[in-house]
Amino acid sequence: MTKLTAEDLNQADKERFVDVLGGVYEESPWVAERTWSKRPFSSIDDLQQSMADTVRNASREEQLALLRAHPDLGERTEMTDESQEEQASAGLDELHPDRYETFQRLNETYRKKFGFPFIMAVRDESVDAIQGAMEDRIDHSRSREFQTALDEVNVIAEFRLEELTVPREDTREQRTR
């Protein structure tokens, strides 16, 4: 797939914009739909910040639905290609049975307490670091963890946006060639 620039996305009609960016936030194309009207974006960073602002300005119910759209970490069920790739980069697709059971127990405890799955930007993280974060964050208050989970969703979205777009520096290099 050809990587897009901010200029490409500024020129896209709403349907194309949502088609390209609808998966940046897990199973939540409404973020791209609402962000489209904020064009033009001066850069990919500006676009990412606008998308994060869209999430920040959403209702609590919409934010909760966004959090609940994420799969459990280490889960062996169907998930989006992006989630599958991210979890595989951290080795969560190859957990030893004992570690898998530990993750399932932590996921269940976390979900019972907070009402949504544990969310962490796991790209290139170690299984130990992820497990440690799960164990630490279970002790958070509900309000603190809700905000932490939203912050992690924005980091995941930033990684996904990077996969789809050309960074500003690359765009300048291409123009000078």
Side-chain angles (χ1 to χ4, degrees), residues 13-25 27-39 41 47 50-51 54 62:
D13 64 18
K14 188 174 188 177
E15 183 178 341
R16 171 89 173 120
F17 188 88
V18 174
D19 184 52
V20 171
L21 300 178
V24 169
Y25 283 84
E27 308 243 358
S28 302
W30 60 267
V31 178
E33 288 171 5
R34 292 183 193 170
T35 304
W36 180 79
S37 64
K38 299 176 182 179
R39 293 171 308 130
F41 305 105
L47 167 62
S50 293
M51 293 183 90
T54 297
E62 291 168 322

PDB file of all heavy atoms in Angstrom, residues 13-25 27-39 41 47 50-51 54 62:
ATOM      1  N   ASP A  13     -12.106  12.823  -0.182  1.00  0.00           N
ATOM      2  CA  ASP A  13     -13.494  13.042   0.228  1.00  0.00           C
ATOM      3  C   ASP A  13     -13.741  12.240   1.504  1.00  0.00           C
ATOM      4  O   ASP A  13     -12.899  11.430   1.920  1.00  0.00           O
ATOM      5  CB  ASP A  13     -14.472  12.678  -0.892  1.00  0.00           C
ATOM      6  CG  ASP A  13     -14.471  11.208  -1.273  1.00  0.00           C
ATOM      7  OD1 ASP A  13     -13.992  10.355  -0.494  1.00  0.00           O
ATOM      8  OD2 ASP A  13     -14.981  10.891  -2.364  1.00  0.00           O
ATOM      9  N   LYS A  14     -14.869  12.467   2.129  1.00  0.00           N
ATOM     10  CA  LYS A  14     -15.133  11.859   3.429  1.00  0.00           C
ATOM     11  C   LYS A  14     -15.098  10.330   3.352  1.00  0.00           C
ATOM     12  O   LYS A  14     -14.526   9.671   4.229  1.00  0.00           O
ATOM     13  CB  LYS A  14     -16.479  12.336   3.981  1.00  0.00           C
ATOM     14  CG  LYS A  14     -16.737  11.909   5.411  1.00  0.00           C
ATOM     15  CD  LYS A  14     -17.999  12.534   5.949  1.00  0.00           C
ATOM     16  CE  LYS A  14     -18.168  12.291   7.413  1.00  0.00           C
ATOM     17  NZ  LYS A  14     -19.362  12.961   7.956  1.00  0.00           N
ATOM     18  N   GLU A  15     -15.669   9.765   2.310  1.00  0.00           N
ATOM     19  CA  GLU A  15     -15.709   8.307   2.187  1.00  0.00           C
ATOM     20  C   GLU A  15     -14.293   7.725   2.124  1.00  0.00           C
ATOM     21  O   GLU A  15     -13.970   6.754   2.806  1.00  0.00           O
ATOM     22  CB  GLU A  15     -16.501   7.903   0.947  1.00  0.00           C
ATOM     23  CG  GLU A  15     -16.649   6.414   0.785  1.00  0.00           C
ATOM     24  CD  GLU A  15     -17.478   6.039  -0.434  1.00  0.00           C
ATOM     25  OE1 GLU A  15     -18.237   6.877  -0.953  1.00  0.00           O
ATOM     26  OE2 GLU A  15     -17.347   4.876  -0.856  1.00  0.00           O
ATOM     27  N   ARG A  16     -13.438   8.314   1.322  1.00  0.00           N
ATOM     28  CA  ARG A  16     -12.050   7.838   1.189  1.00  0.00           C
ATOM     29  C   ARG A  16     -11.293   8.035   2.499  1.00  0.00           C
ATOM     30  O   ARG A  16     -10.541   7.159   2.935  1.00  0.00           O
ATOM     31  CB  ARG A  16     -11.352   8.599   0.054  1.00  0.00           C
ATOM     32  CG  ARG A  16      -9.865   8.364  -0.038  1.00  0.00           C
ATOM     33  CD  ARG A  16      -9.523   7.181  -0.914  1.00  0.00           C
ATOM     34  NE  ARG A  16      -8.072   7.106  -1.107  1.00  0.00           N
ATOM     35  CZ  ARG A  16      -7.338   6.079  -0.738  1.00  0.00           C
ATOM     36  NH1 ARG A  16      -7.900   5.018  -0.219  1.00  0.00           N
ATOM     37  NH2 ARG A  16      -6.039   6.094  -0.930  1.00  0.00           N
ATOM     38  N   PHE A  17     -11.461   9.190   3.128  1.00  0.00           N
ATOM     39  CA  PHE A  17     -10.804   9.503   4.389  1.00  0.00           C
ATOM     40  C   PHE A  17     -11.146   8.441   5.440  1.00  0.00           C
ATOM     41  O   PHE A  17     -10.260   7.890   6.097  1.00  0.00           O
ATOM     42  CB  PHE A  17     -11.257  10.898   4.849  1.00  0.00           C
ATOM     43  CG  PHE A  17     -10.531  11.453   6.031  1.00  0.00           C
ATOM     44  CD1 PHE A  17      -9.359  12.177   5.874  1.00  0.00           C
ATOM     45  CD2 PHE A  17     -11.039  11.295   7.315  1.00  0.00           C
ATOM     46  CE1 PHE A  17      -8.697  12.723   6.972  1.00  0.00           C
ATOM     47  CE2 PHE A  17     -10.396  11.829   8.416  1.00  0.00           C
ATOM     48  CZ  PHE A  17      -9.217  12.551   8.245  1.00  0.00           C
ATOM     49  N   VAL A  18     -12.432   8.129   5.560  1.00  0.00           N
ATOM     50  CA  VAL A  18     -12.876   7.140   6.549  1.00  0.00           C
ATOM     51  C   VAL A  18     -12.426   5.742   6.142  1.00  0.00           C
ATOM     52  O   VAL A  18     -12.035   4.935   6.992  1.00  0.00           O
ATOM     53  CB  VAL A  18     -14.405   7.211   6.755  1.00  0.00           C
ATOM     54  CG1 VAL A  18     -14.894   6.087   7.661  1.00  0.00           C
ATOM     55  CG2 VAL A  18     -14.791   8.569   7.337  1.00  0.00           C
ATOM     56  N   ASP A  19     -12.431   5.473   4.844  1.00  0.00           N
ATOM     57  CA  ASP A  19     -11.969   4.165   4.369  1.00  0.00           C
ATOM     58  C   ASP A  19     -10.512   3.942   4.758  1.00  0.00           C
ATOM     59  O   ASP A  19     -10.134   2.865   5.215  1.00  0.00           O
ATOM     60  CB  ASP A  19     -12.145   4.067   2.850  1.00  0.00           C
ATOM     61  CG  ASP A  19     -11.771   2.700   2.315  1.00  0.00           C
ATOM     62  OD1 ASP A  19     -12.292   1.692   2.841  1.00  0.00           O
ATOM     63  OD2 ASP A  19     -10.960   2.647   1.376  1.00  0.00           O
ATOM     64  N   VAL A  20      -9.686   4.951   4.606  1.00  0.00           N
ATOM     65  CA  VAL A  20      -8.257   4.838   4.908  1.00  0.00           C
ATOM     66  C   VAL A  20      -7.984   4.868   6.409  1.00  0.00           C
ATOM     67  O   VAL A  20      -7.171   4.102   6.918  1.00  0.00           O
ATOM     68  CB  VAL A  20      -7.461   5.970   4.210  1.00  0.00           C
ATOM     69  CG1 VAL A  20      -6.022   6.008   4.677  1.00  0.00           C
ATOM     70  CG2 VAL A  20      -7.523   5.812   2.699  1.00  0.00           C
ATOM     71  N   LEU A  21      -8.669   5.746   7.141  1.00  0.00           N
ATOM     72  CA  LEU A  21      -8.342   5.981   8.552  1.00  0.00           C
ATOM     73  C   LEU A  21      -9.330   5.372   9.548  1.00  0.00           C
ATOM     74  O   LEU A  21      -9.131   5.481  10.758  1.00  0.00           O
ATOM     75  CB  LEU A  21      -8.226   7.485   8.816  1.00  0.00           C
ATOM     76  CG  LEU A  21      -7.163   8.219   8.000  1.00  0.00           C
ATOM     77  CD1 LEU A  21      -7.192   9.706   8.310  1.00  0.00           C
ATOM     78  CD2 LEU A  21      -5.787   7.636   8.251  1.00  0.00           C
ATOM     79  N   GLY A  22     -10.362   4.722   9.048  1.00  0.00           N
ATOM     80  CA  GLY A  22     -11.403   4.185   9.927  1.00  0.00           C
ATOM     81  C   GLY A  22     -10.918   3.135  10.907  1.00  0.00           C
ATOM     82  O   GLY A  22     -11.515   2.946  11.963  1.00  0.00           O
ATOM     83  N   GLY A  23      -9.807   2.449  10.601  1.00  0.00           N
ATOM     84  CA  GLY A  23      -9.280   1.426  11.489  1.00  0.00           C
ATOM     85  C   GLY A  23      -8.177   1.906  12.413  1.00  0.00           C
ATOM     86  O   GLY A  23      -7.653   1.125  13.203  1.00  0.00           O
ATOM     87  N   VAL A  24      -7.843   3.182  12.335  1.00  0.00           N
ATOM     88  CA  VAL A  24      -6.793   3.715  13.205  1.00  0.00           C
ATOM     89  C   VAL A  24      -7.214   3.579  14.673  1.00  0.00           C
ATOM     90  O   VAL A  24      -6.404   3.248  15.542  1.00  0.00           O
ATOM     91  CB  VAL A  24      -6.461   5.181  12.832  1.00  0.00           C
ATOM     92  CG1 VAL A  24      -5.576   5.837  13.875  1.00  0.00           C
ATOM     93  CG2 VAL A  24      -5.787   5.231  11.455  1.00  0.00           C
ATOM     94  N   TYR A  25      -8.472   3.805  14.947  1.00  0.00           N
ATOM     95  CA  TYR A  25      -9.039   3.566  16.277  1.00  0.00           C
ATOM     96  C   TYR A  25      -9.872   2.290  16.167  1.00  0.00           C
ATOM     97  O   TYR A  25     -10.794   2.214  15.356  1.00  0.00           O
ATOM     98  CB  TYR A  25      -9.883   4.757  16.762  1.00  0.00           C
ATOM     99  CG  TYR A  25      -9.018   5.891  17.248  1.00  0.00           C
ATOM    100  CD1 TYR A  25      -8.491   6.824  16.358  1.00  0.00           C
ATOM    101  CD2 TYR A  25      -8.697   6.013  18.598  1.00  0.00           C
ATOM    102  CE1 TYR A  25      -7.676   7.854  16.807  1.00  0.00           C
ATOM    103  CE2 TYR A  25      -7.882   7.044  19.048  1.00  0.00           C
ATOM    104  CZ  TYR A  25      -7.375   7.958  18.151  1.00  0.00           C
ATOM    105  OH  TYR A  25      -6.564   8.969  18.599  1.00  0.00           O
ATOM    106  N   GLU A  27     -12.003  -0.581  15.537  1.00  0.00           N
ATOM    107  CA  GLU A  27     -13.424  -0.790  15.249  1.00  0.00           C
ATOM    108  C   GLU A  27     -14.274   0.452  15.554  1.00  0.00           C
ATOM    109  O   GLU A  27     -15.426   0.339  15.977  1.00  0.00           O
ATOM    110  CB  GLU A  27     -13.950  -1.993  16.043  1.00  0.00           C
ATOM    111  CG  GLU A  27     -13.100  -3.220  15.858  1.00  0.00           C
ATOM    112  CD  GLU A  27     -13.809  -4.382  15.211  1.00  0.00           C
ATOM    113  OE1 GLU A  27     -15.001  -4.265  14.931  1.00  0.00           O
ATOM    114  OE2 GLU A  27     -13.143  -5.393  14.993  1.00  0.00           O
ATOM    115  N   SER A  28     -13.712   1.633  15.340  1.00  0.00           N
ATOM    116  CA  SER A  28     -14.390   2.887  15.670  1.00  0.00           C
ATOM    117  C   SER A  28     -14.207   3.913  14.553  1.00  0.00           C
ATOM    118  O   SER A  28     -13.561   4.954  14.744  1.00  0.00           O
ATOM    119  CB  SER A  28     -13.864   3.438  17.002  1.00  0.00           C
ATOM    120  OG  SER A  28     -14.057   2.503  18.042  1.00  0.00           O
ATOM    121  N   PRO A  29     -14.796   3.675  13.379  1.00  0.00           N
ATOM    122  CA  PRO A  29     -14.639   4.607  12.267  1.00  0.00           C
ATOM    123  C   PRO A  29     -15.229   5.989  12.546  1.00  0.00           C
ATOM    124  O   PRO A  29     -14.902   6.950  11.857  1.00  0.00           O
ATOM    125  CB  PRO A  29     -15.338   3.910  11.101  1.00  0.00           C
ATOM    126  CG  PRO A  29     -16.267   2.926  11.727  1.00  0.00           C
ATOM    127  CD  PRO A  29     -15.615   2.519  13.026  1.00  0.00           C
ATOM    128  N   TRP A  30     -16.047   6.097  13.585  1.00  0.00           N
ATOM    129  CA  TRP A  30     -16.642   7.397  13.918  1.00  0.00           C
ATOM    130  C   TRP A  30     -15.565   8.441  14.235  1.00  0.00           C
ATOM    131  O   TRP A  30     -15.787   9.636  14.020  1.00  0.00           O
ATOM    132  CB  TRP A  30     -17.643   7.277  15.077  1.00  0.00           C
ATOM    133  CG  TRP A  30     -17.081   6.755  16.377  1.00  0.00           C
ATOM    134  CD1 TRP A  30     -17.061   5.468  16.813  1.00  0.00           C
ATOM    135  CD2 TRP A  30     -16.458   7.531  17.421  1.00  0.00           C
ATOM    136  NE1 TRP A  30     -16.461   5.381  18.052  1.00  0.00           N
ATOM    137  CE2 TRP A  30     -16.096   6.629  18.452  1.00  0.00           C
ATOM    138  CE3 TRP A  30     -16.183   8.880  17.578  1.00  0.00           C
ATOM    139  CZ2 TRP A  30     -15.470   7.052  19.628  1.00  0.00           C
ATOM    140  CZ3 TRP A  30     -15.555   9.305  18.747  1.00  0.00           C
ATOM    141  CH2 TRP A  30     -15.214   8.389  19.752  1.00  0.00           C
ATOM    142  N   VAL A  31     -14.396   7.993  14.708  1.00  0.00           N
ATOM    143  CA  VAL A  31     -13.321   8.949  15.012  1.00  0.00           C
ATOM    144  C   VAL A  31     -12.860   9.613  13.719  1.00  0.00           C
ATOM    145  O   VAL A  31     -12.749  10.843  13.638  1.00  0.00           O
ATOM    146  CB  VAL A  31     -12.151   8.269  15.750  1.00  0.00           C
ATOM    147  CG1 VAL A  31     -11.024   9.274  16.006  1.00  0.00           C
ATOM    148  CG2 VAL A  31     -12.625   7.650  17.057  1.00  0.00           C
ATOM    149  N   ALA A  32     -12.629   8.829  12.679  1.00  0.00           N
ATOM    150  CA  ALA A  32     -12.227   9.393  11.382  1.00  0.00           C
ATOM    151  C   ALA A  32     -13.356  10.225  10.786  1.00  0.00           C
ATOM    152  O   ALA A  32     -13.109  11.309  10.237  1.00  0.00           O
ATOM    153  CB  ALA A  32     -11.819   8.273  10.423  1.00  0.00           C
ATOM    154  N   GLU A  33     -14.591   9.745  10.889  1.00  0.00           N
ATOM    155  CA  GLU A  33     -15.737  10.488  10.336  1.00  0.00           C
ATOM    156  C   GLU A  33     -15.818  11.893  10.926  1.00  0.00           C
ATOM    157  O   GLU A  33     -16.010  12.872  10.203  1.00  0.00           O
ATOM    158  CB  GLU A  33     -17.045   9.739  10.616  1.00  0.00           C
ATOM    159  CG  GLU A  33     -17.220   8.491   9.792  1.00  0.00           C
ATOM    160  CD  GLU A  33     -18.411   7.652  10.220  1.00  0.00           C
ATOM    161  OE1 GLU A  33     -19.191   8.070  11.119  1.00  0.00           O
ATOM    162  OE2 GLU A  33     -18.563   6.546   9.664  1.00  0.00           O
ATOM    163  N   ARG A  34     -15.676  11.995  12.231  1.00  0.00           N
ATOM    164  CA  ARG A  34     -15.770  13.305  12.893  1.00  0.00           C
ATOM    165  C   ARG A  34     -14.531  14.167  12.661  1.00  0.00           C
ATOM    166  O   ARG A  34     -14.629  15.391  12.682  1.00  0.00           O
ATOM    167  CB  ARG A  34     -15.998  13.121  14.389  1.00  0.00           C
ATOM    168  CG  ARG A  34     -17.349  12.545  14.706  1.00  0.00           C
ATOM    169  CD  ARG A  34     -17.571  12.447  16.179  1.00  0.00           C
ATOM    170  NE  ARG A  34     -18.740  11.616  16.452  1.00  0.00           N
ATOM    171  CZ  ARG A  34     -19.072  11.201  17.654  1.00  0.00           C
ATOM    172  NH1 ARG A  34     -18.344  11.551  18.702  1.00  0.00           N
ATOM    173  NH2 ARG A  34     -20.135  10.441  17.814  1.00  0.00           N
ATOM    174  N   THR A  35     -13.396  13.538  12.472  1.00  0.00           N
ATOM    175  CA  THR A  35     -12.154  14.285  12.289  1.00  0.00           C
ATOM    176  C   THR A  35     -12.058  14.871  10.880  1.00  0.00           C
ATOM    177  O   THR A  35     -11.424  15.913  10.684  1.00  0.00           O
ATOM    178  CB  THR A  35     -10.940  13.378  12.592  1.00  0.00           C
ATOM    179  OG1 THR A  35     -11.077  12.858  13.927  1.00  0.00           O
ATOM    180  CG2 THR A  35      -9.635  14.133  12.481  1.00  0.00           C
ATOM    181  N   TRP A  36     -12.692  14.251   9.914  1.00  0.00           N
ATOM    182  CA  TRP A  36     -12.631  14.703   8.515  1.00  0.00           C
ATOM    183  C   TRP A  36     -12.968  16.191   8.391  1.00  0.00           C
ATOM    184  O   TRP A  36     -12.317  16.922   7.654  1.00  0.00           O
ATOM    185  CB  TRP A  36     -13.574  13.859   7.658  1.00  0.00           C
ATOM    186  CG  TRP A  36     -13.591  14.246   6.215  1.00  0.00           C
ATOM    187  CD1 TRP A  36     -12.670  13.914   5.264  1.00  0.00           C
ATOM    188  CD2 TRP A  36     -14.570  15.061   5.554  1.00  0.00           C
ATOM    189  NE1 TRP A  36     -13.014  14.451   4.045  1.00  0.00           N
ATOM    190  CE2 TRP A  36     -14.190  15.165   4.198  1.00  0.00           C
ATOM    191  CE3 TRP A  36     -15.727  15.702   5.968  1.00  0.00           C
ATOM    192  CZ2 TRP A  36     -14.913  15.895   3.275  1.00  0.00           C
ATOM    193  CZ3 TRP A  36     -16.456  16.414   5.042  1.00  0.00           C
ATOM    194  CH2 TRP A  36     -16.047  16.506   3.706  1.00  0.00           C
ATOM    195  N   SER A  37     -13.965  16.650   9.123  1.00  0.00           N
ATOM    196  CA  SER A  37     -14.409  18.046   9.012  1.00  0.00           C
ATOM    197  C   SER A  37     -13.393  19.043   9.574  1.00  0.00           C
ATOM    198  O   SER A  37     -13.547  20.248   9.386  1.00  0.00           O
ATOM    199  CB  SER A  37     -15.752  18.232   9.714  1.00  0.00           C
ATOM    200  OG  SER A  37     -15.611  17.988  11.099  1.00  0.00           O
ATOM    201  N   LYS A  38     -12.365  18.571  10.241  1.00  0.00           N
ATOM    202  CA  LYS A  38     -11.348  19.453  10.823  1.00  0.00           C
ATOM    203  C   LYS A  38     -10.220  19.756   9.837  1.00  0.00           C
ATOM    204  O   LYS A  38      -9.268  20.444  10.196  1.00  0.00           O
ATOM    205  CB  LYS A  38     -10.778  18.823  12.101  1.00  0.00           C
ATOM    206  CG  LYS A  38     -11.829  18.611  13.181  1.00  0.00           C
ATOM    207  CD  LYS A  38     -11.244  17.892  14.374  1.00  0.00           C
ATOM    208  CE  LYS A  38     -12.324  17.636  15.425  1.00  0.00           C
ATOM    209  NZ  LYS A  38     -11.779  16.905  16.581  1.00  0.00           N
ATOM    210  N   ARG A  39     -10.316  19.227   8.611  1.00  0.00           N
ATOM    211  CA  ARG A  39      -9.301  19.501   7.585  1.00  0.00           C
ATOM    212  C   ARG A  39      -9.232  20.997   7.309  1.00  0.00           C
ATOM    213  O   ARG A  39     -10.223  21.685   7.512  1.00  0.00           O
ATOM    214  CB  ARG A  39      -9.657  18.766   6.276  1.00  0.00           C
ATOM    215  CG  ARG A  39      -9.582  17.289   6.364  1.00  0.00           C
ATOM    216  CD  ARG A  39     -10.163  16.617   5.121  1.00  0.00           C
ATOM    217  NE  ARG A  39     -11.485  17.144   4.862  1.00  0.00           N
ATOM    218  CZ  ARG A  39     -11.904  17.601   3.678  1.00  0.00           C
ATOM    219  NH1 ARG A  39     -11.148  17.552   2.627  1.00  0.00           N
ATOM    220  NH2 ARG A  39     -13.110  18.082   3.532  1.00  0.00           N
ATOM    221  N   PHE A  41      -5.219  19.581   7.523  1.00  0.00           N
ATOM    222  CA  PHE A  41      -4.223  19.264   8.543  1.00  0.00           C
ATOM    223  C   PHE A  41      -2.870  19.736   8.046  1.00  0.00           C
ATOM    224  O   PHE A  41      -2.503  19.485   6.907  1.00  0.00           O
ATOM    225  CB  PHE A  41      -4.204  17.749   8.810  1.00  0.00           C
ATOM    226  CG  PHE A  41      -5.558  17.223   9.187  1.00  0.00           C
ATOM    227  CD1 PHE A  41      -6.306  16.492   8.283  1.00  0.00           C
ATOM    228  CD2 PHE A  41      -6.101  17.498  10.428  1.00  0.00           C
ATOM    229  CE1 PHE A  41      -7.571  16.035   8.602  1.00  0.00           C
ATOM    230  CE2 PHE A  41      -7.381  17.047  10.771  1.00  0.00           C
ATOM    231  CZ  PHE A  41      -8.108  16.309   9.852  1.00  0.00           C
ATOM    232  N   LEU A  47      -2.971  15.870  12.219  1.00  0.00           N
ATOM    233  CA  LEU A  47      -4.066  14.929  12.024  1.00  0.00           C
ATOM    234  C   LEU A  47      -4.211  14.029  13.249  1.00  0.00           C
ATOM    235  O   LEU A  47      -5.313  13.845  13.770  1.00  0.00           O
ATOM    236  CB  LEU A  47      -3.818  14.078  10.769  1.00  0.00           C
ATOM    237  CG  LEU A  47      -4.705  12.845  10.604  1.00  0.00           C
ATOM    238  CD1 LEU A  47      -6.171  13.228  10.484  1.00  0.00           C
ATOM    239  CD2 LEU A  47      -4.263  12.039   9.385  1.00  0.00           C
ATOM    240  N   SER A  50      -5.709  15.898  16.059  1.00  0.00           N
ATOM    241  CA  SER A  50      -7.135  16.137  15.806  1.00  0.00           C
ATOM    242  C   SER A  50      -7.957  14.892  16.090  1.00  0.00           C
ATOM    243  O   SER A  50      -9.060  14.977  16.641  1.00  0.00           O
ATOM    244  CB  SER A  50      -7.355  16.585  14.358  1.00  0.00           C
ATOM    245  OG  SER A  50      -6.787  17.860  14.153  1.00  0.00           O
ATOM    246  N   MET A  51      -7.420  13.731  15.729  1.00  0.00           N
ATOM    247  CA  MET A  51      -8.128  12.482  16.015  1.00  0.00           C
ATOM    248  C   MET A  51      -8.199  12.246  17.528  1.00  0.00           C
ATOM    249  O   MET A  51      -9.241  11.857  18.056  1.00  0.00           O
ATOM    250  CB  MET A  51      -7.473  11.311  15.295  1.00  0.00           C
ATOM    251  CG  MET A  51      -7.618  11.393  13.780  1.00  0.00           C
ATOM    252  SD  MET A  51      -6.921   9.985  12.893  1.00  0.00           S
ATOM    253  CE  MET A  51      -8.370   8.906  12.866  1.00  0.00           C
ATOM    254  N   THR A  54     -10.815  14.400  18.936  1.00  0.00           N
ATOM    255  CA  THR A  54     -12.147  13.846  18.658  1.00  0.00           C
ATOM    256  C   THR A  54     -12.517  12.839  19.745  1.00  0.00           C
ATOM    257  O   THR A  54     -13.639  12.856  20.255  1.00  0.00           O
ATOM    258  CB  THR A  54     -12.183  13.190  17.259  1.00  0.00           C
ATOM    259  OG1 THR A  54     -11.941  14.203  16.274  1.00  0.00           O
ATOM    260  CG2 THR A  54     -13.511  12.516  16.991  1.00  0.00           C
ATOM    261  N   GLU A  62     -19.315   6.880  24.389  1.00  0.00           N
ATOM    262  CA  GLU A  62     -18.554   6.614  23.161  1.00  0.00           C
ATOM    263  C   GLU A  62     -17.118   6.198  23.490  1.00  0.00           C
ATOM    264  O   GLU A  62     -16.574   5.284  22.862  1.00  0.00           O
ATOM    265  CB  GLU A  62     -18.541   7.841  22.253  1.00  0.00           C
ATOM    266  CG  GLU A  62     -19.898   8.143  21.645  1.00  0.00           C
ATOM    267  CD  GLU A  62     -19.958   9.515  20.977  1.00  0.00           C
ATOM    268  OE1 GLU A  62     -19.362  10.473  21.519  1.00  0.00           O
ATOM    269  OE2 GLU A  62     -20.605   9.597  19.920  1.00  0.00           O
TER     270      GLU A  62
END
